[in-house]
Amino acid sequence: MRFEQLDVWKRASRLSCQIYQVTESVSNWGFKDQITRSGLSIPSNIAEGEERETLKDQIRFLYYAKGSLGELVTQLYIGIEVGYLAKEPALLMVQEAKELAKILGAIIKQKQSKSKS
């Protein structure tokens, strides 16, 4: 299956697009750069992992994507707190990021058990 067909990749890509949209008017370049990079890293790492030949590499890149989700959640909370992001849309993105992290965790476990058999 190509990564473009994966629901988790599609959802992560939409989340990344939302990050770009909600940060369009943020004037703090450092914050804007960091949060858009972490958001972009998620679907990018899912795609890169799926293009790798070995399960070990695939799992490693899924872990990178999962780590970027944690980074993104942190940045969303900080963005709310400092007033860069509107609370309600940012909290919806936090919820989506947490759901994606759970999905990635399940995919990682599935691939790990596949690699052991």
Side-chain angles (χ1 to χ4, degrees), residues 52-98:
R52 296 293 174 139
E53 297 295 322
T54 67
L55 273 175
K56 184 178 179 181
D57 277 347
Q58 291 173 12
I59 292 166
R60 182 166 43 101
F61 280 91
L62 291 175
Y63 272 122
Y64 292 158
K66 196 169 183 290
S68 292
L69 282 160
E71 185 180 357
L72 178 62
V73 167
T74 299
Q75 293 159 356
L76 287 165
Y77 282 135
I78 291 169
I80 293 167
E81 191 66 30
V82 298
Y84 291 159
L85 303 175
K87 187 175 184 177
E88 293 310 312
L91 287 177
L92 287 173
M93 288 185 281
V94 165
Q95 182 180 343
E96 177 68 356
K98 288 180 176 183

Tab-separated table of all heavy atoms in Angstrom, residues 52-98:
chain	number	residue	atom	x	y	z
A	52	ARG	N	10.637	3.100	3.131
A	52	ARG	CA	11.818	2.337	3.529
A	52	ARG	C	11.604	0.851	3.283
A	52	ARG	O	10.477	0.367	3.330
A	52	ARG	CB	12.150	2.587	5.004
A	52	ARG	CG	12.546	4.021	5.311
A	52	ARG	CD	13.860	4.330	4.661
A	52	ARG	NE	14.213	5.731	4.814
A	52	ARG	CZ	15.426	6.152	5.080
A	52	ARG	NH1	16.422	5.284	5.232
A	52	ARG	NH2	15.678	7.433	5.176
A	53	GLU	N	12.699	0.150	3.082
A	53	GLU	CA	12.627	-1.270	2.738
A	53	GLU	C	12.439	-2.192	3.941
A	53	GLU	O	11.800	-3.220	3.842
A	53	GLU	CB	13.908	-1.684	1.986
A	53	GLU	CG	14.093	-0.967	0.664
A	53	GLU	CD	13.021	-1.310	-0.369
A	53	GLU	OE1	12.610	-2.478	-0.428
A	53	GLU	OE2	12.607	-0.393	-1.091
A	54	THR	N	13.008	-1.834	5.081
A	54	THR	CA	12.965	-2.749	6.223
A	54	THR	C	11.927	-2.302	7.249
A	54	THR	O	11.642	-1.109	7.393
A	54	THR	CB	14.336	-2.837	6.919
A	54	THR	OG1	14.627	-1.574	7.531
A	54	THR	CG2	15.446	-3.205	5.927
A	55	LEU	N	11.383	-3.269	7.954
A	55	LEU	CA	10.434	-2.959	9.028
A	55	LEU	C	11.087	-2.108	10.108
A	55	LEU	O	10.451	-1.211	10.663
A	55	LEU	CB	9.895	-4.251	9.643
A	55	LEU	CG	8.679	-4.868	8.971
A	55	LEU	CD1	8.335	-6.206	9.617
A	55	LEU	CD2	7.492	-3.936	9.011
A	56	LYS	N	12.346	-2.388	10.398
A	56	LYS	CA	13.070	-1.620	11.413
A	56	LYS	C	13.097	-0.130	11.048
A	56	LYS	O	12.841	0.739	11.888
A	56	LYS	CB	14.494	-2.162	11.570
A	56	LYS	CG	15.291	-1.494	12.659
A	56	LYS	CD	16.670	-2.117	12.790
A	56	LYS	CE	17.464	-1.406	13.874
A	56	LYS	NZ	18.807	-1.966	14.023
A	57	ASP	N	13.401	0.172	9.786
A	57	ASP	CA	13.402	1.567	9.329
A	57	ASP	C	12.001	2.162	9.345
A	57	ASP	O	11.814	3.315	9.731
A	57	ASP	CB	13.986	1.672	7.920
A	57	ASP	CG	15.494	1.729	7.898
A	57	ASP	OD1	16.107	1.934	8.969
A	57	ASP	OD2	16.067	1.577	6.800
A	58	GLN	N	11.021	1.374	8.922
A	58	GLN	CA	9.641	1.867	8.923
A	58	GLN	C	9.215	2.262	10.331
A	58	GLN	O	8.652	3.337	10.544
A	58	GLN	CB	8.701	0.797	8.359
A	58	GLN	CG	8.878	0.552	6.887
A	58	GLN	CD	8.064	-0.628	6.387
A	58	GLN	OE1	7.184	-1.142	7.090
A	58	GLN	NE2	8.353	-1.071	5.174
A	59	ILE	N	9.513	1.402	11.277
A	59	ILE	CA	9.153	1.657	12.678
A	59	ILE	C	9.867	2.901	13.202
A	59	ILE	O	9.266	3.731	13.884
A	59	ILE	CB	9.464	0.416	13.548
A	59	ILE	CG1	8.516	-0.725	13.176
A	59	ILE	CG2	9.407	0.735	15.032
A	59	ILE	CD1	8.930	-2.096	13.703
A	60	ARG	N	11.150	3.036	12.863
A	60	ARG	CA	11.925	4.196	13.327
A	60	ARG	C	11.279	5.501	12.866
A	60	ARG	O	11.119	6.441	13.654
A	60	ARG	CB	13.367	4.087	12.819
A	60	ARG	CG	14.259	5.219	13.285
A	60	ARG	CD	15.736	4.915	13.053
A	60	ARG	NE	16.018	4.314	11.768
A	60	ARG	CZ	16.506	4.977	10.715
A	60	ARG	NH1	16.768	6.252	10.806
A	60	ARG	NH2	16.751	4.337	9.586
A	61	PHE	N	10.864	5.563	11.610
A	61	PHE	CA	10.267	6.794	11.107
A	61	PHE	C	8.866	7.038	11.667
A	61	PHE	O	8.457	8.184	11.850
A	61	PHE	CB	10.293	6.830	9.574
A	61	PHE	CG	11.634	7.237	9.051
A	61	PHE	CD1	12.597	6.291	8.757
A	61	PHE	CD2	11.953	8.572	8.897
A	61	PHE	CE1	13.857	6.666	8.303
A	61	PHE	CE2	13.209	8.964	8.453
A	61	PHE	CZ	14.161	8.010	8.152
A	62	LEU	N	8.148	5.972	11.978
A	62	LEU	CA	6.857	6.152	12.644
A	62	LEU	C	7.058	6.714	14.050
A	62	LEU	O	6.273	7.538	14.514
A	62	LEU	CB	6.084	4.832	12.686
A	62	LEU	CG	5.575	4.330	11.341
A	62	LEU	CD1	4.928	2.959	11.496
A	62	LEU	CD2	4.608	5.320	10.709
A	63	TYR	N	8.122	6.280	14.715
A	63	TYR	CA	8.453	6.866	16.022
A	63	TYR	C	8.803	8.350	15.883
A	63	TYR	O	8.439	9.167	16.739
A	63	TYR	CB	9.610	6.119	16.690
A	63	TYR	CG	9.184	4.951	17.534
A	63	TYR	CD1	9.653	3.671	17.268
A	63	TYR	CD2	8.331	5.113	18.620
A	63	TYR	CE1	9.281	2.587	18.049
A	63	TYR	CE2	7.947	4.039	19.411
A	63	TYR	CZ	8.422	2.780	19.122
A	63	TYR	OH	8.040	1.712	19.903
A	64	TYR	N	9.514	8.718	14.829
A	64	TYR	CA	9.816	10.140	14.595
A	64	TYR	C	8.524	10.928	14.443
A	64	TYR	O	8.378	12.020	15.009
A	64	TYR	CB	10.669	10.332	13.337
A	64	TYR	CG	12.074	9.801	13.396
A	64	TYR	CD1	12.749	9.507	12.214
A	64	TYR	CD2	12.742	9.592	14.592
A	64	TYR	CE1	14.052	9.020	12.230
A	64	TYR	CE2	14.037	9.106	14.620
A	64	TYR	CZ	14.688	8.829	13.437
A	64	TYR	OH	15.968	8.347	13.452
A	65	ALA	N	7.581	10.387	13.665
A	65	ALA	CA	6.300	11.060	13.465
A	65	ALA	C	5.553	11.205	14.792
A	65	ALA	O	4.993	12.261	15.095
A	65	ALA	CB	5.451	10.297	12.457
A	66	LYS	N	5.578	10.148	15.589
A	66	LYS	CA	4.907	10.173	16.898
A	66	LYS	C	5.554	11.218	17.818
A	66	LYS	O	4.863	11.946	18.531
A	66	LYS	CB	4.951	8.779	17.534
A	66	LYS	CG	4.002	8.563	18.678
A	66	LYS	CD	3.954	7.078	19.028
A	66	LYS	CE	2.974	6.779	20.123
A	66	LYS	NZ	3.374	7.269	21.432
A	67	GLY	N	6.875	11.290	17.770
A	67	GLY	CA	7.575	12.304	18.558
A	67	GLY	C	7.206	13.715	18.121
A	67	GLY	O	7.023	14.611	18.959
A	68	SER	N	7.077	13.917	16.832
A	68	SER	CA	6.689	15.231	16.317
A	68	SER	C	5.273	15.601	16.741
A	68	SER	O	4.966	16.775	16.943
A	68	SER	CB	6.797	15.272	14.792
A	68	SER	OG	8.147	15.183	14.390
A	69	LEU	N	4.418	14.606	16.902
A	69	LEU	CA	3.072	14.878	17.415
A	69	LEU	C	3.130	15.405	18.845
A	69	LEU	O	2.415	16.344	19.196
A	69	LEU	CB	2.199	13.621	17.344
A	69	LEU	CG	1.658	13.309	15.947
A	69	LEU	CD1	1.228	11.859	15.833
A	69	LEU	CD2	0.505	14.246	15.610
A	70	GLY	N	3.998	14.825	19.669
A	70	GLY	CA	4.167	15.333	21.026
A	70	GLY	C	4.695	16.756	21.031
A	70	GLY	O	4.249	17.601	21.816
A	71	GLU	N	5.636	17.017	20.148
A	71	GLU	CA	6.184	18.361	20.004
A	71	GLU	C	5.082	19.338	19.585
A	71	GLU	O	4.959	20.442	20.135
A	71	GLU	CB	7.302	18.323	18.957
A	71	GLU	CG	8.041	19.613	18.783
A	71	GLU	CD	9.151	19.514	17.732
A	71	GLU	OE1	9.389	18.424	17.170
A	71	GLU	OE2	9.767	20.554	17.485
A	72	LEU	N	4.267	18.927	18.617
A	72	LEU	CA	3.191	19.782	18.132
A	72	LEU	C	2.175	20.087	19.226
A	72	LEU	O	1.758	21.240	19.385
A	72	LEU	CB	2.497	19.121	16.935
A	72	LEU	CG	1.315	19.889	16.357
A	72	LEU	CD1	1.744	21.251	15.823
A	72	LEU	CD2	0.632	19.062	15.278
A	73	VAL	N	1.780	19.082	19.993
A	73	VAL	CA	0.824	19.298	21.082
A	73	VAL	C	1.367	20.328	22.065
A	73	VAL	O	0.661	21.248	22.483
A	73	VAL	CB	0.470	17.961	21.791
A	73	VAL	CG1	-0.252	18.202	23.108
A	73	VAL	CG2	-0.362	17.085	20.869
A	74	THR	N	2.634	20.200	22.417
A	74	THR	CA	3.268	21.162	23.327
A	74	THR	C	3.205	22.572	22.754
A	74	THR	O	2.840	23.534	23.447
A	74	THR	CB	4.741	20.757	23.574
A	74	THR	OG1	4.758	19.462	24.179
A	74	THR	CG2	5.455	21.763	24.454
A	75	GLN	N	3.534	22.710	21.486
A	75	GLN	CA	3.540	24.027	20.846
A	75	GLN	C	2.127	24.606	20.726
A	75	GLN	O	1.936	25.816	20.855
A	75	GLN	CB	4.220	23.933	19.484
A	75	GLN	CG	5.698	23.622	19.632
A	75	GLN	CD	6.317	23.026	18.387
A	75	GLN	OE1	5.649	22.757	17.405
A	75	GLN	NE2	7.622	22.801	18.449
A	76	LEU	N	1.146	23.753	20.498
A	76	LEU	CA	-0.238	24.228	20.452
A	76	LEU	C	-0.664	24.783	21.811
A	76	LEU	O	-1.265	25.858	21.891
A	76	LEU	CB	-1.179	23.100	20.010
A	76	LEU	CG	-1.109	22.725	18.527
A	76	LEU	CD1	-1.795	21.392	18.281
A	76	LEU	CD2	-1.718	23.821	17.658
A	77	TYR	N	-0.347	24.050	22.884
A	77	TYR	CA	-0.688	24.539	24.228
A	77	TYR	C	0.009	25.869	24.514
A	77	TYR	O	-0.601	26.793	25.061
A	77	TYR	CB	-0.302	23.510	25.293
A	77	TYR	CG	-1.258	22.350	25.435
A	77	TYR	CD1	-0.780	21.053	25.546
A	77	TYR	CD2	-2.640	22.533	25.486
A	77	TYR	CE1	-1.640	19.974	25.695
A	77	TYR	CE2	-3.506	21.466	25.635
A	77	TYR	CZ	-3.009	20.191	25.738
A	77	TYR	OH	-3.864	19.127	25.894
A	78	ILE	N	1.264	25.966	24.160
A	78	ILE	CA	2.000	27.216	24.397
A	78	ILE	C	1.416	28.334	23.540
A	78	ILE	O	1.249	29.467	24.017
A	78	ILE	CB	3.507	27.010	24.143
A	78	ILE	CG1	4.087	26.101	25.230
A	78	ILE	CG2	4.244	28.355	24.085
A	78	ILE	CD1	5.493	25.608	24.978
A	79	GLY	N	1.092	28.032	22.295
A	79	GLY	CA	0.490	29.029	21.415
A	79	GLY	C	-0.812	29.579	21.970
A	79	GLY	O	-1.086	30.775	21.865
A	80	ILE	N	-1.615	28.705	22.582
A	80	ILE	CA	-2.854	29.151	23.237
A	80	ILE	C	-2.518	30.058	24.407
A	80	ILE	O	-3.068	31.155	24.561
A	80	ILE	CB	-3.693	27.945	23.720
A	80	ILE	CG1	-4.221	27.132	22.539
A	80	ILE	CG2	-4.835	28.410	24.622
A	80	ILE	CD1	-4.789	25.763	22.928
A	81	GLU	N	-1.598	29.589	25.238
A	81	GLU	CA	-1.254	30.307	26.478
A	81	GLU	C	-0.721	31.708	26.212
A	81	GLU	O	-1.046	32.646	26.945
A	81	GLU	CB	-0.235	29.484	27.276
A	81	GLU	CG	0.002	29.969	28.690
A	81	GLU	CD	-1.208	29.817	29.597
A	81	GLU	OE1	-2.015	28.894	29.395
A	81	GLU	OE2	-1.350	30.654	30.515
A	82	VAL	N	0.106	31.866	25.191
A	82	VAL	CA	0.689	33.188	24.920
A	82	VAL	C	-0.183	34.043	23.999
A	82	VAL	O	0.166	35.177	23.691
A	82	VAL	CB	2.134	33.094	24.369
A	82	VAL	CG1	3.041	32.429	25.382
A	82	VAL	CG2	2.180	32.398	23.028
A	83	GLY	N	-1.305	33.494	23.559
A	83	GLY	CA	-2.249	34.261	22.759
A	83	GLY	C	-1.971	34.279	21.263
A	83	GLY	O	-2.557	35.076	20.533
A	84	TYR	N	-1.117	33.394	20.790
A	84	TYR	CA	-0.851	33.320	19.353
A	84	TYR	C	-1.952	32.561	18.616
A	84	TYR	O	-2.179	32.787	17.430
A	84	TYR	CB	0.476	32.609	19.063
A	84	TYR	CG	1.712	33.363	19.470
A	84	TYR	CD1	2.904	32.679	19.674
A	84	TYR	CD2	1.719	34.746	19.651
A	84	TYR	CE1	4.063	33.345	20.030
A	84	TYR	CE2	2.872	35.413	20.020
A	84	TYR	CZ	4.036	34.704	20.202
A	84	TYR	OH	5.187	35.370	20.563
A	85	LEU	N	-2.600	31.619	19.319
A	85	LEU	CA	-3.593	30.756	18.683
A	85	LEU	C	-4.928	30.854	19.410
A	85	LEU	O	-4.961	30.907	20.645
A	85	LEU	CB	-3.125	29.295	18.705
A	85	LEU	CG	-1.777	28.985	18.061
A	85	LEU	CD1	-1.406	27.528	18.286
A	85	LEU	CD2	-1.800	29.314	16.579
A	86	ALA	N	-6.003	30.856	18.646
A	86	ALA	CA	-7.344	30.831	19.227
A	86	ALA	C	-7.536	29.487	19.930
A	86	ALA	O	-7.163	28.432	19.392
A	86	ALA	CB	-8.388	31.031	18.141
A	87	LYS	N	-8.114	29.544	21.118
A	87	LYS	CA	-8.192	28.369	21.978
A	87	LYS	C	-8.949	27.195	21.350
A	87	LYS	O	-8.445	26.071	21.326
A	87	LYS	CB	-8.822	28.753	23.313
A	87	LYS	CG	-8.795	27.638	24.329
A	87	LYS	CD	-9.315	28.110	25.671
A	87	LYS	CE	-9.183	27.017	26.697
A	87	LYS	NZ	-9.605	27.470	28.026
A	88	GLU	N	-10.162	27.413	20.879
A	88	GLU	CA	-10.996	26.309	20.404
A	88	GLU	C	-10.396	25.574	19.205
A	88	GLU	O	-10.278	24.335	19.237
A	88	GLU	CB	-12.422	26.787	20.107
A	88	GLU	CG	-13.191	27.213	21.353
A	88	GLU	CD	-13.158	26.190	22.483
A	88	GLU	OE1	-13.403	24.987	22.226
A	88	GLU	OE2	-12.881	26.579	23.629
A	89	PRO	N	-9.987	26.282	18.142
A	89	PRO	CA	-9.396	25.537	17.022
A	89	PRO	C	-8.099	24.825	17.417
A	89	PRO	O	-7.839	23.698	16.975
A	89	PRO	CB	-9.120	26.593	15.959
A	89	PRO	CG	-9.724	27.852	16.426
A	89	PRO	CD	-10.134	27.681	17.845
A	90	ALA	N	-7.307	25.450	18.268
A	90	ALA	CA	-6.051	24.833	18.696
A	90	ALA	C	-6.318	23.582	19.526
A	90	ALA	O	-5.623	22.573	19.377
A	90	ALA	CB	-5.193	25.828	19.465
A	91	LEU	N	-7.331	23.609	20.384
A	91	LEU	CA	-7.653	22.430	21.189
A	91	LEU	C	-8.180	21.287	20.316
A	91	LEU	O	-7.932	20.117	20.618
A	91	LEU	CB	-8.656	22.778	22.290
A	91	LEU	CG	-8.091	23.601	23.452
A	91	LEU	CD1	-9.197	23.955	24.445
A	91	LEU	CD2	-6.944	22.874	24.140
A	92	LEU	N	-8.892	21.622	19.244
A	92	LEU	CA	-9.328	20.586	18.301
A	92	LEU	C	-8.117	19.939	17.629
A	92	LEU	O	-8.091	18.722	17.412
A	92	LEU	CB	-10.273	21.169	17.255
A	92	LEU	CG	-11.680	21.517	17.743
A	92	LEU	CD1	-12.467	22.236	16.649
A	92	LEU	CD2	-12.424	20.272	18.215
A	93	MET	N	-7.104	20.744	17.329
A	93	MET	CA	-5.884	20.198	16.741
A	93	MET	C	-5.119	19.350	17.748
A	93	MET	O	-4.529	18.329	17.386
A	93	MET	CB	-5.013	21.322	16.174
A	93	MET	CG	-5.595	21.917	14.908
A	93	MET	SD	-4.534	23.146	14.148
A	93	MET	CE	-4.876	24.554	15.183
A	94	VAL	N	-5.131	19.743	19.017
A	94	VAL	CA	-4.516	18.926	20.071
A	94	VAL	C	-5.196	17.567	20.116
A	94	VAL	O	-4.534	16.522	20.161
A	94	VAL	CB	-4.604	19.632	21.448
A	94	VAL	CG1	-4.307	18.658	22.586
A	94	VAL	CG2	-3.661	20.824	21.509
A	95	GLN	N	-6.521	17.566	20.085
A	95	GLN	CA	-7.282	16.316	20.119
A	95	GLN	C	-6.923	15.443	18.920
A	95	GLN	O	-6.695	14.237	19.071
A	95	GLN	CB	-8.776	16.618	20.122
A	95	GLN	CG	-9.658	15.406	20.192
A	95	GLN	CD	-11.142	15.766	20.188
A	95	GLN	OE1	-11.529	16.897	20.437
A	95	GLN	NE2	-11.964	14.787	19.895
A	96	GLU	N	-6.859	16.030	17.736
A	96	GLU	CA	-6.506	15.264	16.539
A	96	GLU	C	-5.085	14.707	16.654
A	96	GLU	O	-4.833	13.558	16.315
A	96	GLU	CB	-6.647	16.137	15.289
A	96	GLU	CG	-6.228	15.464	14.005
A	96	GLU	CD	-7.114	14.315	13.523
A	96	GLU	OE1	-8.076	13.926	14.226
A	96	GLU	OE2	-6.836	13.784	12.443
A	97	ALA	N	-4.159	15.518	17.145
A	97	ALA	CA	-2.771	15.066	17.298
A	97	ALA	C	-2.693	13.884	18.258
A	97	ALA	O	-1.966	12.912	18.007
A	97	ALA	CB	-1.895	16.223	17.779
A	98	LYS	N	-3.433	13.942	19.341
A	98	LYS	CA	-3.425	12.844	20.312
A	98	LYS	C	-4.025	11.572	19.712
A	98	LYS	O	-3.539	10.464	19.966
A	98	LYS	CB	-4.164	13.242	21.583
A	98	LYS	CG	-3.383	14.259	22.418
A	98	LYS	CD	-4.131	14.637	23.672
A	98	LYS	CE	-3.309	15.571	24.538
A	98	LYS	NZ	-4.010	15.880	25.804
